[in-house]
Amino acid sequence: MLRRQFAAALAATTGLGALGLTGCSTLGVPSAAIPPGGVQLLYWGGPILTMNDAQPQVEAVAVHAGRIVALGRRDEVARWQGAATQVVDLQGRTLIPGFVDPHSHLGGVGLQAIAANLLPPPDGPNTGIAQLQDTLRQYIATSPDARELQMAFGFGYDDSQLAEHRHPTRDELDAVSTSVPIVAIHQSGHFAALNSKALERARITADTPDPQGGIIRRRPGSREPDGVLEENAYFGALQHLMPALSEAQAIRWLEKSQALYLQFGYTTVQDGRADPGGVATAVAAAQQGKFKVDVVSYPDILTLGEGRFMQGPYYSRSYRQHFRIGGVKLTLDGSPQGKTAWLTQPYVQPPAGQPRSYAGYGVMSDAQATAQMEKAFAHNWQILVHANGDAAIDQMILAVQTARARYDGATPMRDRRPVLIHGQTLRHDQVAALRRLGIFPSLFPMHTYYWGDWHRSEVLGDPRAQNISPTGWVLAQGLRFTTHHDAPVVLPSSIRVLDATVNRRTRSGQVLGPEHRVTPWVALQAMTLWAAYQHFEEDHKGSIELGKLADFAVLSGNPLTMPPSQLSQLQVLQTIKEGVVVYQAP
């Protein structure tokens, strides 16, 4: 497999002559099927990377009615041109398939879009708690969203990047305001710091017990909350903290979220772990024609209720008004950078107040996890499983193995395509189990940049830190994989994903796990064709091939020929959905 990928990448970088392009590939439809004015669109004048190993690069592509009807040499494809054809000269820029998002949270990005930007550099200005306080003060004073909601959300602070190397406390947020509820959400999305007003609204006091799978951090020597909520303590508090939005407001959040994805070339976006309200909003947005890209939702299996969304018309392999429900999501642990991922070996530096043996924690028991997996298998739902720590991955493997034994038995394995989301501490011995059980890995190499140094010094230490999101091990087992950004954990930047997957450089410039670096061709396939496969959409998305949707992104340079160290400088200039430009860079 690696030899084939290398050969395809080499062919794509050594000119069209090496590809043996002696003619034009077409659908074989009769000329009468093409209007007298010709096809609607022709693209040429720059590298066109198909992500198809059999034909990696072509000179030209013809598009009609939103689909690809011809591709190959320019002189051959030019025969499809007519008086009504719009010819797009790429002027040396690179055309690739539109990026397919294998894991993120569209609804959460909507909250990020209206919240105060608490991110550290390079995505925000916050390097210390004093600066974070100033950002929140400015936001409360100037943001129309804060005035409308009568509370202040901030998103993206990272204790590993703050000068103090800790979370802000309720007292520090009270110094910003005691009258406005403040919810500062950690960059991982698994913690939040609340001021006293927000704690009051969330009904959290000294008498409130820690929920299963969550922790309310306390002031030293007392039961009084210090403002920081972990995992299920935070998720539970959100039920009381989230304002009641009108349908129009909620849809406006989704539109702001969609606009961010468009800037980075995504033509398919995932909304993972959507709650019932989020699914209802997405359905309403679809019915009102608000989606410019395809949105595939995976509701939280624990909040399905009577499961009405899994029975209606939107639970389908086909999109209706650019929306569908693809399956369900299950969460088994937290985040490694926040030290709540569930490991089999202790953290290098445990959180304050925890013993040296601390290794994080799971969200539920093995029996509970297996029950949820069997529920998904019984309904033939595709299931995405958030598991960062290797103990959580063990729990997922056990659950899938048990469910397969019950529902597949001696018959050939049904292709339900369960997905491991994140898998950051995936062990070498666990990769074979993924292959055996048909578990598809969606990995998170972006951590090598954002938290690689933190993982080495504080979280995992070497060699565990070297092997986070071990793409090399996965490829060696003959498995495909995808790579994601997990927005709003970070911005939904396809370029950052590409750069991190190829280079695996930390903020300090160190290479983390050099054996897990991949070629740009493989990294792009993981973001396009293999991501479409993860969603059961490979027959009509993910590559530039005959009959597939004309979902494209135009890049400022060619990722296959530029120095890998410069990949982060790429820009998305256009996003094209079914032949229609839905984003144009300024």
Side-chain angles (χ1 to χ4, degrees), residues 435-455:
R435 180 178 181 179
R436 174 171 52 86
L437 294 169
I439 298 172
F440 188 94
S442 182
L443 303 178
F444 202 178
M446 279 185 76
H447 259 250
T448 57
Y449 173 75
Y450 281 98
W451 294 286
D453 295 320
W454 180 247
H455 286 328

Side-chain angles (χ1 to χ4, degrees), residues 105 108-109 112 116-124 126 132 154-162 167-168 183-193 229 234 335-338 422 444 446-447 449-451 454 485-492 496 507:
H105 310 271
V109 175
Q112 181 184 40
N117 179 5
L118 303 184
L119 289 166
D123 302 318
N126 303 280
L132 184 148
F155 192 91
Y157 83 86
D158 183 359
D159 57 309
S160 75
Q161 299 303 312
L162 294 175
H167 299 262
V183 181
I185 302 171
H186 189 265
Q187 189 170 3
S188 68
H190 288 255
F191 299 79
L229 308 179
Y234 159 55
S335 74
Q337 73 270 31
H422 305 323
F444 202 178
M446 279 185 76
H447 259 250
Y449 173 75
Y450 281 98
W451 294 286
W454 180 247
H485 44 69
D486 198 24
V489 170
V490 293
L491 294 173
R496 283 269 179 214
R507 291 178 189 264

Side-chain angles (χ1 to χ4, degrees), residues 557-573:
N558 186 342
L560 302 186
T561 57
M562 66 193 304
S565 61
Q566 296 178 15
L567 286 172
S568 63
Q569 299 174 25
L570 279 171
Q571 294 180 327
V572 175
L573 303 179

